[in-house]
Amino acid sequence: MIYRETGQFKTSYAADQQIFPIRQDRIGILLLLAVAFLVVPAVAGNYWFNAILIPFLIFSLAALGLNILTGYAGQLSLGSAAFMAVGAYAAYNFQVRIEGMPILLSFILAGLTAAGVGILFGLPSLRIKGFYLAVATLAAQFFIVWCLTKFPYLSNNSSSGVISVPNVEILGFTFDTPQSRYLLVLSIVAVLALLAKNMVRSTTGRAWMAVRDMDVAAEVIGIRLMRTKLLAFAVSSFYCGVAGALYAFCYLGSVEPDGFSLDLSFKILFMIIVGGVGSILGSFLGAAFILLLPIFLDIALPALSDLLGLPFGSATVSHIQLMVFGALIMFFLIVEPHGLARLWQIGKEKLRLWPFPH
Amino acid sequence: MARQIGEVILDLRNISLSFGGVKALTDISFDVREHEIRAIIGPNGAGKSSMLNVINGVYHPQQGEIVFRGEHRKDMDTHAMAAAGIARTFQNIALFKGMSVLDNLMAGRNLKMKCSFLQHALWWGPARREELAHRRKVEEVIDFLEIEHIRKTPVGRLPYGLQKRVELGRALAAEPSMLLLDEPMAGMNVEEKQDMCRFILDVNDQFGTTIVLIEHDMGVVMDISDRVVVLDYGRKIGDGAPDDVKNNPEVIAAYLGTQH
């Protein structure tokens, strides 16, 4: 199929402002959703669900949250894992403390709780920018994890703050198979991704990007910096919070505060840097890259050692894995600082002209 | 010309502004009448941009009073001024580089858009209708400035002259009653300057927009402005019709130097 918009004329602004203005893209995304909702559940095994697909979706959501804040609103944050922790623990508390609490409502409330905490830690952004703000959000990272360990109330008095979440149940249906949990996570992520896309293509998103690109000019055209930045913190933390709740309820089943360490925050930051800062698609590509590459190397390196007849020890393999991982991240940053999403965009632009580039 | 120059709508009285020990503006007074093109000129560092920044609230003067449409204020507030219909462009282009031309212009209309972020997220009903209605308005500006071909291009990729035009577009998108232009023609070639002059005159003529303009090209200033105020070292040294200012010995001295 030739990818180009020739002959697809837009006769209204509504048609011109679609998320996917080119018909082939619309067909593509529908196909992708159909495969994700119908084909994958039928063919994938438990390993795929538990080790690859569910974490991929959850991290995509967290990366999406951080991308709203860092990519769109330009506020660097190192606290994403902490906001995930707030979401996870809030959802847990709503679930165990309120009898008959619907789980989806718990997720939403968890997101809102994270949003509130996000606003609180976003307040320094009104005075400081860039690296200094990143350091301020680092405070969120350490403070929240410390709180969750320090106050047993938050983990329902369990030892060392570990929480084991109950099964997810909606209207009598228990999500106890990996397949059903995958579908639940996929639905939530798909809806939230659509909402995020709508926000960033509207006045809300334009205000975020205006603040990111030139805050003085944004102020002069009437954008309120404080409100815009705090809204970005709130929405971003909401997404991270829901991701955290899903992380606990649909992926791990039991989490501890130390699981939401600075390492995790960095991992999410790498996802958006590699995937594409300021791109919804980039959040997904970045999450896939950062999650799948280690798994791929895990499989590929032993196979390679067999092929070359060099007996790698398992320690060597894990060292090489780290080195290759780091090297690839640097490679991507040098070759395409705007991330995988930009590569995808360039590819599409090339494809539009192919095979007659002149 | 059909337009009628009206009452004084902006009156700056004895404005002084300093940064620490540096005096940027000293006791400056001048006024702007409705529908006129008012130029501010002066050598580099005279305080022209500071003056614009005082008018739309980026800087807050230590002394003086500003009367805008009958309202007496000690200083201005950026948000209130944007809401009151003052738009501006900057000396060093201050566009939102990562956004398309269309998004930059739409952002210029943000104050006119009332939907909340939740409505935006759902993209349904009012939010969608609002977006489309404002898109129509923005398209009129795009049409006016003849930038249809670049509406989807990220502004960072545009050449300088076009960026200047897009920045004017962003200001116009807000449908301002007063437009502050900080060196709209700096760094342009003759043709681009002619285009820009035409746009400025058309805006003034068609929409009745009052224009306060900083410009270094004396030919342009003398041709298009109704009244000119001259600053030098933060002081006002001349004020009046272009011809009067041109023959003012103090102004000539500031520009050409004097023999002592």
Side-chain angles (χ1 to χ4, degrees):
Chain A
M1 189 164 62
I2 298 174
Y3 177 85
R4 66 178 55 139
E5 70 270 42
T6 318
Q8 302 176 21
F9 300 111
K10 305 284 186 292
T11 51
S12 69
Y13 295 136
D16 193 45
Q17 285 176 332
Q18 297 172 94
I19 299 179
F20 299 106
I22 298 176
R23 191 187 298 133
Q24 286 86 335
D25 279 342
R26 288 199 293 278
I27 297 169
I29 194 75
L30 286 179
L31 275 178
L32 185 69
L33 283 176
V35 168
F37 274 101
L38 302 172
V39 180
V40 169
V43 298
N46 280 357
Y47 170 77
W48 270 85
F49 287 127
N50 283 331
I52 296 175
L53 293 170
I54 293 178
F56 159 66
L57 288 169
I58 292 173
F59 279 112
S60 299
L61 189 60
L64 184 55
L66 182 63
N67 223 335
I68 286 174
L69 183 63
T70 304
Y72 286 96
Q75 310 297 309
L76 193 53
S77 161
L78 286 176
S80 349
F83 300 130
M84 282 178 77
V86 172
Y89 278 78
Y92 172 75
N93 278 301
F94 285 121
Q95 205 56 33
V96 297
R97 287 175 200 281
I98 301 171
E99 198 62 40
M101 185 75 169
I103 186 80
L104 286 180
L105 187 58
S106 291
F107 287 168
I108 293 172
L109 289 174
L112 292 177
T113 311
V117 176
I119 290 178
L120 198 65
F121 283 97
L123 287 173
S125 71
L126 308 178
R127 301 290 301 187
I128 50 180
K129 294 181 196 174
F131 287 119
Y132 301 93
L133 179 63
V135 173
T137 56
L138 211 53
Q141 178 64 51
F142 290 113
F143 179 74
I144 288 167
V145 171
W146 175 79
C147 267
L148 295 174
T149 323
K150 181 76 181 171
F151 299 107
Y153 175 84
L154 296 173
S155 49
N156 206 14
N157 300 315
S158 81
S159 59
S160 70
V162 180
I163 52 170
S164 292
V165 298
N167 258 335
V168 178
E169 203 182 295
I170 297 174
L171 300 173
F173 181 82
T174 313
F175 289 82
D176 48 2
T177 62
Q179 191 187 21
S180 60
R181 285 201 302 269
Y182 161 76
L183 283 173
L184 177 68
V185 174
L186 178 64
S187 314
I188 293 175
V189 171
V191 169
L192 286 180
L194 177 65
L195 295 185
K197 180 69 194 173
N198 282 340
M199 271 187 273
V200 299
R201 69 189 174 127
S202 65
T203 308
T204 306
R206 284 192 292 265
W208 286 339
M209 290 186 274
V211 169
R212 170 194 71 189
D213 285 349
M214 188 67 75
D215 50 1
V216 178
E219 219 178 345
V220 165
I221 62 172
I223 291 170
R224 289 190 188 276
L225 293 188
M226 181 172 89
R227 211 164 69 183
T228 307
K229 285 182 183 177
L230 291 184
L231 180 64
F233 266 97
V235 173
S236 158
S237 307
F238 179 88
Y239 276 70
C240 287
V242 173
L246 293 175
Y247 189 68
F249 278 77
C250 296
Y251 176 42
L252 291 179
S254 88
V255 291
E256 53 175 340
D258 288 338
F260 298 99
S261 63
L262 184 59
D263 276 359
L264 191 62
S265 284
F266 271 121
K267 203 166 162 183
I268 298 169
L269 185 63
F270 291 156
M271 284 175 189
I272 69 165
I273 291 175
V274 169
V277 174
S279 153
I280 303 281
L281 174 72
S283 317
F284 287 87
L285 296 178
F289 185 84
I290 299 284
L291 279 181
L292 296 187
L293 191 63
I295 296 173
F296 170 76
L297 291 175
D298 245 0
I299 300 166
L301 283 175
L304 190 70
S305 74
D306 285 350
L307 196 71
L308 297 175
L310 299 169
F312 290 165
S314 59
T316 321
V317 169
S318 66
H319 286 156
I320 294 179
Q321 195 185 329
L322 279 177
M323 288 192 287
V324 172
F325 190 59
L328 274 175
I329 288 179
M330 281 198 279
F331 174 77
F332 267 108
L333 290 183
I334 292 167
V335 172
E336 187 42 87
H338 296 283
L340 297 169
R342 177 59 68 85
L343 285 181
W344 172 253
Q345 200 189 351
I346 292 172
K348 283 209 300 188
E349 275 170 23
K350 288 234 164 80
L351 209 57
R352 276 173 57 191
L353 298 176
W354 186 87
F356 307 110
H358 295 293
Chain B
M1 236 181 250
R3 74 204 167 85
Q4 281 279 304
I5 292 179
E7 296 294 299
V8 171
I9 51 168
L10 175 71
D11 192 8
L12 298 136
R13 296 177 183 167
N14 310 101
I15 299 289
S16 292
L17 172 76
S18 57
F19 302 101
V22 183
K23 285 203 153 185
L25 299 171
T26 313
D27 199 26
I28 291 184
S29 305
F30 71 97
D31 57 17
V32 180
R33 293 172 176 277
E34 191 150 29
H35 308 309
E36 78 172 337
I37 298 182
R38 184 75 150 124
I40 304 177
I41 61 170
N44 288 327
K48 306 181 295 296
S49 294
S50 297
M51 201 65 240
L52 283 199
N53 282 331
V54 165
I55 294 178
N56 77 340
V58 178
Y59 292 162
H60 304 280
Q62 280 82 15
Q63 281 161 34
E65 185 189 34
I66 304 168
V67 186
F68 181 62
R69 294 191 186 280
E71 206 180 322
H72 292 250
R73 309 178 67 115
K74 206 187 145 300
D75 56 6
M76 308 289 246
D77 161 75
T78 45
H79 187 266
M81 286 309 102
I86 299 186
R88 79 170 281 186
T89 66
F90 292 82
Q91 185 174 4
N92 311 310
I93 300 170
L95 284 168
F96 308 130
K97 290 255 179 336
M99 295 157 71
S100 67
V101 170
L102 188 60
D103 279 340
N104 268 278
L105 268 59
M106 291 290 279
R109 290 185 71 80
N110 76 90
L111 277 178
K112 298 190 184 297
M113 301 171 86
K114 299 288 174 235
C115 285
S116 74
F117 75 100
L118 285 174
Q119 285 168 307
H120 290 145
L122 295 174
W123 196 256
W124 175 81
R128 191 160 175 273
R129 277 198 300 275
E130 187 182 66
E131 181 87 6
L132 295 179
H134 287 280
R135 170 76 189 269
R136 185 172 295 278
K137 287 283 185 189
V138 162
E139 287 291 339
E140 284 170 18
V141 176
I142 289 178
D143 200 36
F144 178 80
L145 293 175
E146 298 158 20
I147 47 176
E148 294 93 341
H149 57 296
I150 51 163
R151 62 162 79 82
K152 294 278 173 81
T153 315
V155 292
R157 286 194 212 165
L158 295 176
Y160 179 82
L162 275 178
Q163 290 197 11
K164 280 277 193 195
R165 204 188 292 183
V166 173
E167 205 188 7
L168 176 64
R170 185 180 65 190
L172 287 180
E175 297 176 50
S177 61
M178 182 184 283
L179 196 53
L180 314 178
L181 303 175
D182 197 344
E183 299 197 20
M185 285 160 244
M188 287 187 166
N189 63 30
V190 176
E191 282 162 40
E192 287 171 327
K193 277 184 185 178
Q194 281 172 348
D195 280 344
M196 188 54 89
C197 283
R198 184 162 54 84
F199 291 132
I200 292 172
L201 289 171
D202 282 353
V203 168
N204 182 245
D205 198 32
Q206 288 184 23
F207 310 130
T209 313
T210 310
I211 290 172
V212 180
L213 168 85
I214 294 176
E215 186 48 56
H216 278 298
D217 186 321
M218 284 309 126
V220 168
V221 170
M222 298 304 162
D223 272 355
I224 70 172
S225 42
D226 297 305
R227 289 193 299 156
V228 181
V229 57
V230 192
L231 305 184
D232 191 24
Y233 294 113
R235 291 170 192 280
K236 184 167 98 167
I237 58 171
D239 191 354
D243 285 335
D244 300 342
V245 165
K246 225 186 311 192
N247 300 322
N248 181 333
E250 237 184 307
V251 175
I252 296 170
Y255 270 91
L256 301 176
T258 41
Q259 281 187 322
H260 291 287

